[in-house]
Amino acid sequence: MDKQLPKSWHIDQRQLTPYLFLLPALLILGLTVFYPAIQAFYLSFTRYDLIDSPQWIGVANFRRLWADPIFWQTLRNTILYLVCVVPILVIAPLGLAILVNQKLRGIRWFRVAYYTPVIISMVVAGIAWKWLYADNGLLNQFLKFSGLSTEGIPWLTSPDWSIFSVMVVTIWKGLGYYMVIYLAGLQSIPEDLYEAAAIDGSDGFRKHWDITIPLMHPYLFLVAVISAISATKVFEEIYIMTQGGPLNSSKTIVYYVYEQAFQSLEISYACTIGLVMFMIILALSVLRLGVQRWEQRA
């Protein structure tokens, strides 16, 4: 006579089932994300150049990082990228989303037009904008023709302009992506709220200030965090358009990691820089969770 399984076994089996479904994804993440992250953390305390085996040197890489003027310049450039790009990518896509959310004839074509830069490869976009920024490019030709500048502007060859010129490409590529996120939130707002607000005298721009922005607050915060993390990890635009120059004026932390790892073969030092970048992104993520929990309690 077969013995019946204990009741606790059935409970444990039900609790174990979700983890069995997650196991393939966890194995892939472990091999491609977690193990390399642990290995990079270890290498940041060693001297490693792909030729000789890693040699333990303690915190020497961190002391070198502290005294590295290029690292501090790249950190300033990264912070500048955050300060300039993130507010625009939080506010401007919301305005576009409100615009394309109107029930007008042919509005879908506007949605397609605004979203088109998102699906364009960054390589293609970077090359196209590099042509526009050239000394004899379309932008300088327009400035000369209109009389705004007789010699044009060195968009990518001047330390004063290069990083801001790259920022324009990041913003241009991101507007449509974040617009779609906002558009999903706008379409979830009941029309009755706007009708009731119109009766109370809240119409035009004021209805968006009284209704849209408060209800879109979770989406605003989501876009702020995503755009901040993306701006911290910006690489392709800089690699294609400026190579971090001139005079490191457009070099960010991620590009500096690439430069040290694949050009100078300073693998351990690149891991040290990457660890600092990880701490910055982790701080942004923790800030997001903290603010979200504070809002839920309020």
Side-chain angles (χ1 to χ4, degrees):
M1 189 172 180
D2 296 335
K3 295 182 179 180
Q4 292 183 349
L5 293 173
K7 188 176 180 181
S8 60
W9 165 258
H10 296 285
I11 297 176
D12 294 339
Q13 192 176 21
R14 287 197 301 269
Q15 293 175 348
L16 187 62
T17 300
Y19 296 99
L20 293 176
F21 282 104
L22 291 173
L23 184 60
L26 291 175
L27 288 175
I28 295 174
L29 284 174
L31 293 175
T32 60
V33 178
F34 300 133
Y35 176 74
I38 296 173
Q39 187 72 7
F41 179 77
Y42 164 73
L43 290 177
S44 64
F45 296 93
T46 65
R47 181 183 292 111
Y48 181 51
D49 56 4
L50 287 180
I51 299 175
D52 300 323
S53 58
Q55 298 178 359
W56 183 267
I57 58 174
V59 295
N61 284 325
F62 293 92
R63 288 198 297 265
R64 175 184 172 185
L65 190 69
W66 182 261
D68 187 356
I70 299 179
F71 166 74
W72 292 108
Q73 185 174 0
T74 59
L75 181 60
R76 287 193 297 270
N77 292 339
T78 303
I79 295 174
L80 179 63
Y81 224 95
L82 285 170
V83 172
C84 294
V85 169
V86 173
I88 297 176
L89 287 179
V90 171
I91 298 172
L94 179 60
L96 289 178
I98 293 173
L99 178 63
V100 300
N101 195 42
Q102 306 300 316
K103 295 180 180 179
L104 300 175
R105 186 176 180 180
I107 198 66
R108 292 183 179 179
W109 292 105
F110 285 95
R111 296 179 183 177
V112 173
Y114 291 138
Y115 192 76
T116 298
V118 179
I119 62 177
I120 296 176
S121 169
M122 179 55 75
V123 176
V124 176
I127 294 174
W129 277 92
K130 193 173 182 178
W131 287 344
L132 290 175
Y133 283 139
D135 293 337
N136 58 347
L138 184 61
L139 290 178
N140 280 331
Q141 292 295 334
F142 172 77
L143 292 176
K144 294 175 183 178
F145 178 78
S146 60
L148 297 175
S149 176
T150 57
E151 299 180 355
I153 297 176
W155 300 102
L156 299 178
T157 57
S158 170
D160 298 327
W161 287 95
S162 59
I163 192 169
F164 298 103
S165 300
V166 178
M167 287 179 189
V168 171
V169 181
T170 302
I171 294 170
W172 177 75
K173 281 280 293 177
L175 284 175
Y177 177 77
Y178 299 117
M179 179 197 71
V180 172
I181 296 177
Y182 285 138
L183 191 59
L186 288 173
Q187 293 180 349
S188 66
I189 300 176
E191 289 291 335
D192 298 343
L193 294 178
Y194 292 110
E195 294 174 359
I199 295 174
D200 294 336
S202 179
D203 203 0
F205 175 78
R206 186 177 176 182
K207 71 178 181 181
H208 295 298
W209 183 261
D210 295 336
I211 297 175
T212 304
I213 293 179
L215 293 179
M216 290 290 293
H217 190 264
Y219 295 90
L220 288 166
F221 191 72
L222 174 64
V223 169
V225 174
I226 295 176
S227 60
I229 294 176
S230 299
T232 305
K233 299 187 297 182
V234 65
F235 172 77
E236 293 173 290
E237 302 95 309
I238 296 172
Y239 178 78
I240 296 167
M241 299 177 66
T242 65
Q243 298 279 309
L247 301 176
N248 301 318
S249 60
S250 62
K251 187 178 294 183
T252 59
I253 292 181
V254 175
Y255 190 85
Y256 195 39
V257 171
Y258 159 79
E259 190 177 66
Q260 292 296 315
F262 298 103
Q263 293 183 3
S264 302
L265 294 182
E266 293 275 0
I267 304 299
S268 57
Y269 190 55
C271 291
T272 306
I273 303 170
L275 181 61
V276 174
M277 187 186 69
F278 167 76
M279 297 303 296
I280 294 174
I281 297 176
L282 179 63
L284 291 174
S285 301
V286 171
L287 177 63
R288 171 186 176 272
L289 293 175
V291 173
Q292 186 176 7
R293 291 180 179 178
W294 178 78
E295 288 178 345
Q296 291 175 353
R297 295 176 181 176

